[in-house]
Amino acid sequence: MNTPRRPSVPAVPPVVLASTFTFDDTEGEALAASQRDDYLYSRWSNPTVAALEARLAALEGAERAIATGSGMAAVSLALLAASRWGGPVLMQDEVYGGTHELAETVLRGLGLDLVRVPLDGLVDAARALPEGATVYLEVPTNPTLRVPDLPAVAAAAPADALVVVDATFATPVLLRPLAHGAHLVVHSATKYLAGHHDVLAGVVAGGGPVMEEVWRLRKLLGPVLDPDAAYRVWRGLETLELRVLRQSETCAELARRLAGHPAVARVHHPGLPGHPDHARAARLLAGAGGVLSFEVAAGDEAAARVANALERFHRAPSLGGTRSLVSWPAGVSHIGLTADERARSGVSGRLLRLAFGLEPVEPLWADLEQALGRAAAAG
Ligand code: PLP
């Protein structure tokens, strides 16, 4: 008897490693070449990468998402597409060191009209922009967790300006920038989205002609995401919300404890009432996130001693994964800045950044206490 087969689909996207797709005839190949969403060649599009992109677009509430080979590739494509090489690009001073270096040395060198202002001057600067401008924000900032006033900046910018937000530290769990006036959102998916320290990836999400340009630039400049890496990001998304909420809880608790420690001069965490953007963060973000930074009271050398004395935290320059990491921004993520630029970004030598993983609170606190105690004793 011939029982009709019921179709089934894989529960997770298949990893399609093909660099190219084959066709019965040249007409089919030509047709695929003329349609953006047909599979022709994996620098154009790839089914595994497309499965990830569909999910990322849904998370951001975006029409489309484009995945890239790293967060810096996403930042680069977004800035190149949004700037249209026409109007100026207004960028806050306090951004990730790599973004700062890209903007100041590469893009400015290529002729981009780059305007830098401190975060607190963004609304006024946005109001003064001409048509065709781009605004670039990071929410919250790396490493001092400042929170620019995205809705006010977006409202102050000219109607046709494109607002780009790097929301790597927030993730779509805590902030969906497109709902607050942004046109493009970028992430280093290396961090929370993938979440397991085992992949480099990025994403740009948004809609309209600017996303068409992002896709075209990815195709022409070539920073595509490998399908295998795309699958790992996709799998990371399965636990994104659980991880981010747990990491935020751990971070909030240890921020409170660190703020009361005598060896700590200052804690930067938007969940603390003393943070300059505390009220704004409470309005804009669904949580304060899993990263904090703090200043060691006894100075730069003591900060290095604290970082070196930590045993549960790994000394590593990333965040958003399963393990807790400590890093020294002045010497690592912001090493490409001049001393003056670092000072303007609030990155002093006594600042340490903690990015929380999934470990329980108490062993992490015990580790911080012993490291702060030993460093103070050595001083
Ligand atoms: N944006 C932010 C806020 C970051 O912290 C980083 C990296 O730390 C990047 C972009 C760059 O991402 P990637 O290292 O994946 O290129």
Side-chain angles (χ1 to χ4, degrees):
M1 203 180 70
N2 223 354
T3 324
R5 289 190 56 210
R6 295 189 182 189
S8 58
V9 291
V12 301
V15 178
V16 179
L17 295 172
S19 58
T20 193
F21 296 80
T22 64
F23 299 86
D24 284 346
D25 49 41
T26 49
E27 284 80 12
E29 189 180 352
L31 185 66
S34 68
Q35 323 233 343
R36 172 183 19 94
D37 291 327
D38 279 5
Y39 301 120
L40 171 76
Y41 187 65
S42 282
R43 186 156 45 76
W44 270 240
S45 56
N46 168 282
T48 314
V49 177
L52 170 67
E53 290 171 341
R55 202 162 173 194
L56 289 167
L59 274 171
E60 290 294 354
E63 186 185 305
R64 270 181 92 180
I66 305 274
T68 56
S70 70
M72 282 313 297
V75 171
S76 306
L77 295 189
L79 273 171
L80 291 175
S83 72
R84 299 158 283 182
W85 298 105
V89 174
L90 171 66
M91 179 183 279
Q92 67 189 59
D93 279 341
E94 309 84 344
V95 288
Y96 165 61
T99 304
H100 170 90
E101 212 177 325
L102 168 79
E104 291 292 345
T105 66
V106 180
L107 300 181
R108 205 191 275 282
L110 287 171
L112 192 83
D113 179 7
L114 184 66
V115 181
R116 302 296 300 274
V117 299
L119 185 143
D120 291 322
L122 277 168
V123 174
D124 288 342
R127 201 169 288 122
L129 286 172
E131 293 194 348
T134 300
V135 182
Y136 186 94
L137 310 177
E138 197 172 289
V139 190
T141 61
N142 180 1
T144 53
L145 290 308
R146 294 292 313 270
V147 179
D149 195 342
L150 164 61
V153 174
D160 74 340
L162 288 170
V163 178
V164 184
V165 172
D166 181 338
T168 298
F169 275 47
T171 81
V173 177
L174 305 180
L175 175 71
R176 294 166 105 203
L178 303 179
H180 297 278
H183 303 91
L184 293 180
V185 51
V186 301
H187 288 276
S188 166
T190 311
K191 311 294 173 4
Y192 290 99
L193 301 183
H196 292 74
H197 312 283
D198 59 0
V199 61
L200 276 169
V203 60
V204 185
V210 66
M211 282 302 289
E212 197 56 35
E213 186 61 5
V214 171
W215 177 78
R216 205 176 74 85
L217 287 169
R218 183 185 67 176
K219 182 185 78 169
L220 297 177
L221 299 175
V224 287
L225 184 60
D226 180 76
D228 204 41
Y231 177 72
R232 267 173 282 145
V233 181
W234 190 96
R235 189 168 60 179
L237 294 180
E238 295 282 281
T239 54
L240 176 68
E241 186 171 9
L242 278 177
R243 287 185 285 105
V244 169
L245 295 180
R246 164 68 181 260
Q247 286 158 324
S248 299
E249 238 173 68
T250 304
C251 187
E253 176 59 27
L254 292 182
R256 272 192 296 276
R257 294 190 194 184
L258 279 170
H261 195 288
V264 173
R266 184 166 175 203
V267 178
H268 302 263
H269 178 67
L272 292 177
H275 187 278
D277 307 318
H278 175 68
R280 185 181 298 154
R283 280 197 306 275
L284 197 59
L285 305 173
V291 180
L292 63 78
S293 55
F294 67 98
E295 293 171 30
V296 176
D300 299 16
E301 284 174 21
R305 285 199 300 275
V306 172
N308 290 332
L310 285 167
E311 290 166 4
R312 300 284 302 223
F313 290 81
H314 300 270
R315 282 162 287 281
S318 194
L319 60 118
T322 51
R323 302 194 196 170
S324 292
L325 310 178
V326 57
S327 83
W328 182 48
V332 183
S333 59
H334 289 65
I335 194 164
L337 278 66
T338 63
D340 191 41
E341 288 168 341
R342 272 198 292 275
R344 264 189 278 132
S345 300
V347 180
S348 71
R350 66 179 189 167
L351 187 79
L352 294 179
R353 190 187 74 188
L354 300 179
F356 293 97
L358 297 177
E359 307 90 336
V361 166
E362 294 310 332
L364 293 176
W365 176 238
D367 194 24
L368 284 165
E369 274 196 306
Q370 69 76 22
L372 286 164
R374 269 169 57 188

